[in-house]
């Protein structure tokens, strides 16, 4: 522990130099802005800054601090549009829409924005201390996850989706299956066959996840808003006198926030699991825990349903730096981009990096703490200004959001096909909303479907199709047992209650 304290002190000396503090401040602000713009997300935010950092000839530690601040900032910013206009800034913020937007419609936009910023802060800070204390141990744990373990984890995640199917499970199941179908579009990586591409070369790589998210949330939501406006429905959001959450709300959400932060951090350490999986699992978990509470209103504006995914996705984002720093393996798409930035400076992440360049590594770790302090100071006072978007008239809000969404999607691949796809999928999403099919299971089907298929194929290719590999390890068995319990226990309890009532 003494060595850790010494290294951390050295890291804070690097991170708190005036130049690096300014870099962290600019990166945090830029990241927040990128996060709240639909479609851009952390990968694009970080990618846009790499050439700037290199062109300005920043020292490697300063460049890494800038990119880290942008990354963490986008996780903070992604919640803003989710809460205010039901449009997730990135994939990890999808779950935030489920209770964040209903809170806005109740006139609690300021409370939701400030509480989510606090939950994001707690999640990130817990992950920071996790990196400092457990990085080597957790890196070894992450190595124990092979394709079979990841497949079992994804199956467990899908089983947890039963809590997100809504009041009509059939429609929720249809949505999840639609998501799985979308995830299979493109060239089969094993056989090379084209699946559901309809001879369109642009579909060879499948539909971009950003295209699907923005179409089904941003475009369809704006179409519904426009319809309500044209039919004469009065679109107003109740204004609240309160600017921030209170102590009672903080105490009410604290257990869910801490539980979700721990879970999110654990999943963030696993390369490829990602913040979107963490936010989905923790939301479903908290919904099940709150099922016994008669005042639970998940999906209708429950503060726990807002705090849990925000704590989880920020903890996962911060935790994803562990495999990058200790193993040289990217924990997420964004950390993969950051590893690419390090190669520009002839730096190779991995165990040797801690010995060869401790100032760089510990300066970067300390900057995560500094960036989170900056972000919570920036975000909570700005709540009142963020919420002003609700006062925009529909004739201005709809084209503004649609324009930003299209620009964000076009910026990824610069193809008109993506613009056509987002338009058509937006119409599909609008009609799905009209028949009350939930969007969250569909989006999660897209995310988890691809991960499930790839890991199942890798696992089976290792054993020439022998299915026993899926249940060989203790980790796999644990996830299979947990998945069965998630599905079976509620059913058994329901049968037990029915048996008691009949007797």
């Amino acid at each position: 522990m003494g060595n850790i304290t010494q290294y951390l002190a050295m890291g804070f000396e690097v991170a708190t130099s005036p130049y690096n503090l300014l870099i962290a401040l600019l990166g945090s602000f830029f990241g927040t802005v990128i996060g709240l713009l639909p479609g851009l997300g952390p990968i694009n935010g970080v990618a846009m800054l790499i050439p700037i950092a290199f062109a300005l000839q920043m020292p490697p530690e300063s460049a890494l601090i800038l990119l880290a601040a942008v990354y963490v900032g986008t996780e903070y910013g992604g919640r803003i549009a989710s809460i205010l206009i039901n449009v997730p800034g990135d994939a990890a913020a999808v779950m935030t829409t489920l209770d964040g937007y209903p809170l806005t419609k109740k006139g609690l936009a300021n409370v939701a924005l400030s509480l989510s910023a606090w939950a994001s802060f707690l999640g990130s800070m817990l992950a920071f201390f996790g990196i400092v204390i457990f990085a080597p141990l957790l890196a070894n744990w992450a190595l124990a996850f092979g394709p079979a373990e990841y497949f079992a984890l994804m199956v467990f995640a899908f089983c947890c989706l039963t809590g997100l199917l809504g009041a009509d499970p059939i429609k929720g199941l249809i949505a999840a299956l639609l998501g799985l179908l979308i995830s299979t579009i493109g060239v089969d990586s094993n056989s090379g066959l084209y699946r559901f591409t309809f001879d369109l070369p642009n579909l060879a790589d499948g539909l971009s996840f950003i295209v699907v998210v923005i179409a089904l949330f941003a475009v369809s939501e704006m179409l519904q808003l426009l319809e309500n406006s044209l039919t004469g429905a009065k679109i107003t959001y109740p204004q609240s006198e309160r600017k921030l959450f209170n102590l009672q709300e903080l105490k009410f959400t604290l257990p869910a926030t801490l539980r979700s932060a721990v879970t999110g951090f654990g999943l963030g350490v696993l390369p490829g699991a990602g913040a979107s999986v963490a936010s989905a699992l923790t939301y479903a978990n908290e919904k099940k825990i709150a099922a016994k509470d008669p005042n639970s209103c998940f999906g209708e504006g429950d503060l726990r349903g807002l705090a849990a995914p925000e704590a989880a996705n920020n903890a996962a984002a911060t935790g994803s730096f562990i495999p990058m720093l200790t193993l040289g393996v990217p924990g997420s798409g964004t950390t993969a981009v950051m590893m690419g930035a390090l190669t520009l400076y002839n730096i190779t992440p991995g165990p040797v990096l801690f010995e060869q360049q401790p100032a760089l590594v510990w300066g970067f770790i300390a900057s995560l703490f500094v960036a989170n302090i900056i972000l919570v100071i920036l975000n909570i006072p700005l709540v009142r200004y963020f919420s002003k978007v609700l006062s925009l008239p529909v004739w201005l809000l709809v084209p503004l959001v649609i324009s930003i969404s299209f620009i964000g999607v076009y910026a990824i691949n610069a193809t008109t096909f993506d613009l056509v796809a987002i338009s058509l999928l937006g119409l599909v999403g609008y009609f799905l909303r009209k028949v009350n099919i939930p969007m969250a299971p569909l989006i999660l089907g897209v995310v988890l479907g691809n991960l499930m298929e790839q890991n199942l194929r890798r696992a089976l290719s290792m054993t020439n199709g022998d299915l026993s590999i899926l249940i060989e390890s203790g980790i796999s068995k644990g996830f299979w047992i947990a998945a069965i319990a998630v599905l079976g226990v509620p059913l058994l309890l329901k049968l037990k209650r029915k048996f008691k009532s009949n007797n």
Side-chain angles (χ1 to χ4, degrees):
M1 183 59 99
N3 286 337
I4 289 177
T5 306
Q6 183 181 353
Y7 282 130
L8 197 57
M10 177 177 63
F12 274 108
E13 188 177 343
V14 172
T16 55
S17 69
Y19 179 71
N20 286 335
L21 274 177
L22 178 62
I23 290 293
L25 176 62
L26 293 174
S28 299
F29 178 76
F30 183 78
T32 302
V33 173
I34 288 294
L36 67 88
L37 295 176
L40 292 180
I43 294 179
N44 292 303
V46 170
M48 282 189 282
L49 266 290
I50 288 175
I52 296 174
F54 196 67
L56 294 176
Q57 298 183 338
M58 287 184 181
E61 60 271 16
S62 299
L64 205 54
I65 287 170
L66 173 66
L67 300 181
V70 171
Y71 184 19
V72 179
T74 55
E75 296 299 334
Y76 272 78
R79 77 192 202 287
I80 297 170
S82 300
I83 292 169
L84 295 179
I85 54 176
N86 201 29
V87 178
D90 64 350
V94 168
M95 305 311 296
T96 307
T97 62
L98 300 183
D99 284 282
Y101 188 57
L103 284 167
T104 293
K105 292 197 287 187
K106 291 180 178 180
L108 297 173
N110 290 337
V111 173
L113 287 168
S114 58
L115 184 64
S116 61
W118 174 250
S120 298
F121 173 74
L122 284 183
S124 295
M125 293 306 287
L126 185 142
F128 163 77
F129 287 109
I131 289 177
V132 172
I133 299 170
F134 300 115
L137 178 65
L138 290 172
N140 292 330
W141 175 67
L143 283 176
F145 272 73
E149 287 76 18
Y150 275 112
F151 177 71
L153 171 63
M154 295 305 128
V155 171
F156 171 64
F158 249 110
C159 291
C160 290
L161 278 179
T162 55
L164 302 178
L165 297 182
D168 192 338
I170 299 299
K171 289 182 177 179
L173 187 60
I174 290 172
L177 291 174
L178 281 173
L180 284 174
L181 178 63
I182 291 172
S183 73
T184 61
I185 295 173
V187 176
D188 185 322
S189 56
N190 278 29
S191 65
L193 295 176
Y194 287 80
R195 303 184 301 188
F196 308 114
T197 58
F198 305 103
D199 294 327
L200 295 173
N202 296 92
L203 286 177
D205 294 326
L207 278 171
S208 166
F209 179 73
I210 293 298
V211 169
V212 177
V213 170
I214 299 304
L216 296 180
F217 278 90
V219 177
S220 65
E221 179 69 27
M222 290 302 105
L223 288 174
Q224 200 164 46
L225 192 64
L226 187 61
E227 180 199 9
N228 292 338
S229 175
L230 293 175
T231 55
K234 191 176 182 182
I235 305 168
T236 58
Y237 297 93
Q239 296 298 312
S240 173
E241 296 297 324
R242 292 171 54 199
K243 301 301 180 187
L244 301 172
F245 62 90
N246 57 35
L247 186 60
Q248 183 180 358
E249 290 162 342
L250 187 149
K251 289 180 178 178
F252 176 64
T253 57
L254 188 60
T257 301
L258 294 177
R259 279 193 299 265
S260 300
V262 172
T263 304
F265 175 62
L267 290 172
V269 174
L270 303 176
S276 53
V277 175
S279 62
L281 275 175
T282 52
Y283 183 90
N285 183 51
E286 291 305 320
K287 187 174 181 180
K288 288 182 184 295
I289 292 173
K292 297 179 182 178
D293 182 0
N295 297 318
S296 173
C297 55
F298 271 68
E300 299 173 5
D302 195 302
L303 292 172
R304 292 166 295 186
L306 170 70
E310 279 304 305
N313 64 39
N314 280 269
T318 306
S320 66
F321 290 119
I322 285 183
M324 182 189 87
L325 293 172
T326 58
L327 303 175
V329 175
S332 64
T334 311
T335 52
V337 174
M338 293 178 71
M339 283 181 64
L342 286 175
T343 59
L344 295 175
Y345 291 92
N346 295 318
I347 296 171
T348 304
V352 183
L353 191 62
F354 280 80
E355 297 176 9
Q356 292 181 343
Q357 301 199 45
L360 174 84
V361 174
W362 289 98
F364 167 72
I365 292 173
S367 74
L368 296 174
F369 182 95
V370 173
N372 274 293
I373 297 294
I374 291 172
L375 281 161
V376 78
I377 292 173
L378 272 178
N379 276 262
I380 291 183
L382 290 176
V383 158
R384 65 183 67 185
Y385 300 106
F386 291 144
S387 61
K388 294 294 183 186
V389 72
L390 299 175
S391 61
L392 292 175
V394 173
W395 61 265
L396 178 59
L397 181 63
V398 170
L400 181 65
V401 173
I402 293 291
S403 300
I404 292 172
S405 299
F406 274 60
I407 291 169
V409 167
Y410 187 77
I412 298 171
N413 297 317
T415 64
T416 53
F417 178 82
D418 285 348
L419 299 181
V420 175
I422 194 177
S423 303
L424 295 176
L425 275 175
L427 286 172
V428 171
Y430 168 73
F431 288 114
L432 289 177
R433 285 174 182 263
K434 296 291 286 182
V435 294
N436 297 318
I437 288 182
M439 293 294 105
L442 195 158
I443 294 299
L444 293 170
V446 176
V447 175
L448 299 178
N450 185 54
L451 291 171
M452 281 182 70
E453 181 185 10
Q454 296 304 319
N455 284 295
L456 176 62
R457 292 195 167 217
R458 290 189 191 113
L460 295 180
S461 66
M462 292 166 63
T463 59
N464 293 321
D466 186 357
L467 292 172
S468 64
I469 190 176
L470 301 178
I471 55 172
E472 275 184 357
S473 71
I475 295 174
S476 295
K477 289 173 184 173
F479 280 124
W480 284 110
I481 292 170
I484 294 169
V486 165
L487 293 176
V489 171
L491 183 61
L492 289 174
L493 291 175
K494 186 177 180 180
L495 291 173
K496 184 180 177 181
R497 286 194 297 266
K498 187 176 180 181
F499 179 76
K500 283 185 176 181
S501 62
N502 289 337
N503 293 329

